[in-house]
Each structure stands twice: as structure tokens, then as C-alpha cells.
Amino acid sequence: MTASDPIVDSKNASDNSGDTEPGEAPITRFKHVHIIVNPASGQNGINLPALNKLLQDLDIEWEMFVTRKGGEAGERAAQALAAGVDAIVVYGGDGTVLEVASAIVGSDMPIVILPGGTANVLSVELGIPGDHMQAAELLGAAPNAIRPLDMGALMGANPGGDKGDDLLFFHLGIGLEGTMHEEADREAKDRSGMFAYVLAALKTLSNPTMAHYRLTLDGETVEADGINCMITNFGSIGVGAIKLSHTIDVSDGLLDIIIFRDANVGSLLSAAANVVTSGELAQPLLQWQAREVSIVVDPPQTVAVDGELIEVDTVAVRVIPHAVRVVVPAPQT
């Protein structure tokens, strides 16, 4: 088994040795969970009656915590870890999942994601159903597995944080992405969902800013011009099965660095289509892999981390291999 293979976990779960027939995918079941809900996420809200029935049917003890301010999801996750529950269930978008993950990095605590945000890129990447009730079946009503996920650490960007001075993330974008998130404000995302991102991207692409990127990748320097540079652990763009690159693996212990060289919408669409059909990166995109990355941009560009704008003086990143563990659908046999 390689690091990128999904694994089935029996830790913190009831005995399921008699629950499956030979050849069937095993199911890990959980006895006690904490549920963290972000009511400010981009979707219509959690279906509490249906979720309660599912948890009763699965004989799961649960407690729910509704967040009221930024940072509270992480606090609740740390409390769940201290309480010794079997899993943490998160209803929210990528930012909420990031908060929870950052609070329990390095632990064995599994995270169950109930997609409730606008883009839910991480859920798409992991094959988690977009419907949060279907995703909830991964608690024991559907074949599941537990997959380790790498994270990035933006060094020195979180001074005084509980987990040190580094800001943890799954995806960091410089340039086009940062400007796009400025355009797609919270009100627009709540009102229009993914369409808000599409409109913001088109508006940004109509007047893109070219920049020069000087990258230091595990000690080696490369330079390139482009409109966007990303450091990421997943290849999905949050729309269907479209991926930027099939070589990106959330569990391989490497950061993927991709530069968009062309601001032409047609070229970008062609690049995405080329990845779908051939699995190869198209000409408008450049890709590298590294464990440590530093980036100098001229002129300076806006930075977004997992959909949130941040202000940093320098971009220096290291990978945290297998930082967290997420419950995902069992791999197809």
C-alpha cells in the first residue's frame, strides 16, 4: 500500500467484522461524535430532522455546536479532541473545514465533512457527495475509508497561534484567485453561489495583471511570468470532475505549484479540457512539486488562502505530510 492509497480505519470504531460479505467494502462505524455547524456557510442550512434520524438509526451519540464567530470551529474541534469522541463532523465550507483541521493536526481524529459552503472544493476533490445528507451516510450507512491529507504551512503568517506561528492551509492562490475572491464578496456568494465566482473570474480576466514569479523549490530557483500562482494539495477546481492536473495527490507528501501563464479564457478552458481528456497539463499551465516553497512576486499580488484573503509580507511554505484524516467514500473495487 502506498501513501496515496485510501485506507480503512478501525480505530475509534465499533467492531464491524460481521457486517460485510466477502468482497464487499467494509464500513467503519462511529459511536460518539461532535458536530460543528457554521450557519454562515453559503448553502441553505443543515437538515437537522433528517440528520437526527440517521444518527438514531446508526445508534450514534452526538452533540452539536453552532459557531457564532470566526475561529470558534477550531475551538470546538480542540474540545472534541480533548473529549475523546470518535469523529468530528463538520457542516460548512472549505474555510470551516480548514479551521477544524488546523486545530487537530497531528492527531488520529477523523473528520467527516458535510458540504455546506459555496464551492466545497475539498469535498469535490475527495469524492464526498455534495448533498450533506448523503455525505452523512459516511458515518456508517455507506462504505467508507479514512484518508490521510497533507497540508501546507505558510510560515510566520499566524503569530501567536495555538499551533505555532504558521498558518495552515490546503490551497493558496496568488494573483487572479486573490482578486477573484475580492470581487466575489460574502453577499454575492450567499446570493449566487458558484455563479458569484464565475462572474468574478470573468471580470478579473477582462483586465488581468501579469506578474513575475521567482520560485525557490527545495533550494532550486525557477522563474516564470503569469497571472496566477497557486500552492495546493488538490487538483479539483470544484466543478464536476475537472482537475488542473491528475498528478496532484492529496496524500503524497508534496506541494504542487501551478502557474497560469495565459489570461485568455479560451486557453484556460482548453487547458482544463486537455487535463480531462489526456491527463496532461496544457501549455497555459506550468507545474512543479516540492516540499518547501518560497515565492517572490513582482509586482505584489493579492493572496487568498482557502478562499479567504490574507495579508503577508513573504510567501514561504512547507508541507505537513498526512496532517489530518478525513472520512471518504470507500474506493471502487
Side-chain angles (χ1 to χ4, degrees):
M1 177 176 292
T2 67
S4 61
D5 289 328
I7 61 171
V8 175
D9 178 49
S10 58
K11 183 178 179 64
N12 293 329
S14 60
D15 178 21
N16 58 21
S17 58
D19 295 340
T20 58
E21 297 295 330
E24 289 185 357
I27 300 176
T28 297
R29 292 178 169 84
F30 304 96
K31 298 177 181 178
H32 184 198
V33 302
H34 278 190
I35 304 171
I36 300 171
V37 175
N38 179 4
S41 295
Q43 294 192 13
N44 294 327
I46 194 167
N47 187 339
L48 187 55
L51 181 61
N52 180 53
K53 183 179 185 306
L54 175 66
L55 295 170
Q56 285 184 332
D57 291 344
L58 294 174
D59 196 25
I60 296 175
E61 297 182 20
W62 59 280
E63 297 173 69
M64 180 174 288
F65 304 90
V66 179
T67 63
R68 295 168 294 180
K69 62 183 187 300
E72 189 173 353
E75 295 171 4
R76 294 298 186 183
Q79 292 169 5
L81 185 63
V85 299
D86 298 337
I88 298 174
V89 182
V90 186
Y91 174 83
D94 294 321
T96 308
V97 175
L98 174 67
E99 270 193 41
V100 170
S102 298
I104 62 171
V105 163
S107 74
D108 288 332
M109 179 68 67
I111 299 173
V112 179
I113 301 173
L114 308 185
T118 304
N120 303 308
V121 176
L122 183 56
S123 296
V124 173
E125 175 74 19
L126 297 175
I128 296 171
D131 179 89
H132 71 271
M133 284 309 305
Q134 291 182 23
E137 293 183 0
L138 293 173
L139 282 163
N144 57 17
I146 297 181
R147 186 166 187 182
L149 267 62
D150 303 333
M151 294 183 72
L154 182 58
M155 291 182 274
N158 187 35
D162 293 337
K163 292 288 182 176
D165 290 343
D166 297 343
L167 179 66
L168 305 186
F169 69 91
F170 293 112
H171 180 95
L172 180 150
I174 308 171
L176 171 68
E177 289 181 82
T179 306
M180 184 181 74
H181 283 290
E182 283 182 319
E183 296 288 345
D185 59 20
R186 168 55 58 190
E187 182 179 350
K189 287 188 283 188
D190 289 345
R191 184 176 63 251
S192 304
M194 272 300 296
F195 191 57
Y197 286 115
V198 175
L199 289 177
L202 291 175
K203 183 176 180 180
T204 304
L205 283 168
S206 66
N207 187 27
T209 300
M210 293 292 292
H212 183 75
Y213 301 101
R214 187 175 187 272
L215 315 176
T216 303
L217 311 172
D218 292 336
E220 297 185 7
T221 300
V222 296
E223 301 188 34
D225 294 331
I227 61 169
N228 190 81
C229 179
M230 63 175 62
I231 304 173
T232 189
N233 285 312
F234 47 79
S236 172
I237 63 172
V239 180
I242 298 178
K243 291 179 177 289
L244 291 171
S245 169
H246 287 297
T247 64
I248 298 176
D249 189 316
V250 297
S251 307
D252 63 1
L254 295 171
L255 299 166
D256 288 86
I257 303 92
I258 297 178
I259 288 180
F260 290 68
R261 296 195 295 176
D262 196 332
N264 182 279
V265 176
S267 294
L268 294 178
L269 293 176
S270 175
N274 196 66
V275 171
V276 172
T277 56
S278 70
E280 299 296 329
L281 214 63
Q283 209 47 31
L285 306 178
L286 295 173
Q287 181 183 5
W288 301 267
Q289 292 182 316
R291 291 176 174 82
E292 292 192 1
V293 184
S294 64
I295 303 176
V296 177
V297 188
D298 184 24
Q301 291 184 304
T302 306
V303 178
V305 171
D306 289 307
E308 300 296 328
L309 298 174
I310 64 168
E311 293 185 8
V312 290
D313 295 326
T314 59
V315 176
V317 175
R318 61 184 176 88
V319 70
I320 305 177
H322 295 190
V324 292
R325 306 162 79 236
V326 176
V327 181
V328 301
Q332 298 294 320
T333 57

